[in-house]
Amino acid sequence: FIPNVKPRVANTSLISFKMDDPRSVYEPGQIKLTIELKGRKKTLSIPFNKKAMRPSWRVYTTKIKDEFVIGFDNILVKVSSQLDVTVREIKNDILCLYADKDNGLWVGTSKGGLLYYKDIDSIPAIINLPEYSVTGVCEDAEGGIWCTTLEHGLYYARNKKIINSRHFMHNCILI
């Protein structure tokens, strides 16, 4: 039995997209994604390998320079201003996206910690707070990084220099 569900749709003043037939995420296969940017439209099929019992239906977006990043389930989609698309599947479901002042991308995941991409194309991501569910990330005016987790509340790091450290949690203050 597959329930009758509506497609996921997101609209901003800059970009809009629609995911057709969201029931396809119940089984591995293809997700049809239609993206419209400044009057131009592109439709693509995204391979989806994860078998989900119940998809989250949450969609996250952020902008880095002139590129957009869309996150849903465990899929990251980068869309350039020319509608060039890069798709990346990550291990855990996405709970938040944040673009910092230096154009780095932070991805909070469910039970997979906090992923940091120094630039959107860098692989692999630096993983911090592993095994935690990171629900929010922001950078303050002084360059400090704030993270919220479901398990232990709020973390604060004075700067991004410690994100390369295997001891990120020990260099953070649990608030």
Side-chain angles (χ1 to χ4, degrees):
F1 171 73
I2 297 176
N4 185 14
V5 291
K6 295 180 180 179
R8 291 186 255 188
V9 177
N11 293 299
T12 69
S13 59
L14 302 172
I15 187 172
S16 68
F17 61 93
K18 176 182 176 183
M19 293 177 65
D20 296 328
D21 191 14
R23 291 173 288 182
S24 65
V25 299
Y26 281 90
E27 294 294 331
Q30 300 284 318
I31 297 173
K32 185 177 176 186
L33 178 66
T34 303
I35 300 168
E36 187 172 346
L37 179 65
K38 298 178 183 175
R40 293 175 295 154
K41 192 181 277 190
K42 184 173 190 174
T43 300
L44 58 138
S45 291
I46 299 173
F48 189 76
N49 299 317
K50 177 183 161 189
K51 185 171 181 160
M53 291 301 293
R54 194 184 84 213
S56 69
W57 305 118
R58 292 184 202 108
V59 178
Y60 305 95
T61 61
T62 192
K63 187 173 184 209
I64 300 175
K65 297 182 198 171
D66 64 343
E67 299 178 320
F68 293 90
V69 180
I70 304 165
F72 57 91
D73 297 313
N74 67 328
I75 305 289
L76 281 173
V77 180
K78 178 182 80 167
V79 182
S80 74
S81 59
Q82 292 78 35
L83 287 183
D84 295 324
V85 176
T86 304
V87 178
R88 180 175 298 157
E89 187 172 355
I90 62 175
K91 185 177 177 183
N92 298 76
D93 286 348
I94 297 167
L95 297 177
C96 69
L97 293 178
Y98 180 74
D100 67 25
K101 297 172 191 171
D102 298 320
N103 299 311
L105 176 65
W106 299 82
V107 181
T109 67
S110 176
K111 302 285 186 188
L114 179 63
L115 310 181
Y116 177 70
Y117 299 90
K118 187 172 181 174
D119 67 62
I120 187 81
D121 297 313
S122 63
I123 296 179
I126 299 167
I127 301 172
N128 296 291
L129 302 173
E131 300 178 18
Y132 286 96
S133 296
V134 178
T135 56
V137 179
C138 68
E139 181 178 16
D140 63 26
E142 297 166 350
I145 302 298
W146 296 82
C147 304
T148 56
T149 67
L150 292 176
E151 296 83 3
H152 292 287
L154 184 63
Y155 283 88
Y156 173 74
R158 284 180 298 219
N159 58 55
K160 288 185 276 191
K161 291 179 183 176
I162 64 170
I163 61 172
N164 293 316
S165 168
R166 293 189 182 270
H167 306 290
F168 179 82
M169 283 180 43
H170 302 293
N171 289 311
C172 290
I173 300 168
L174 177 60
I175 308 276

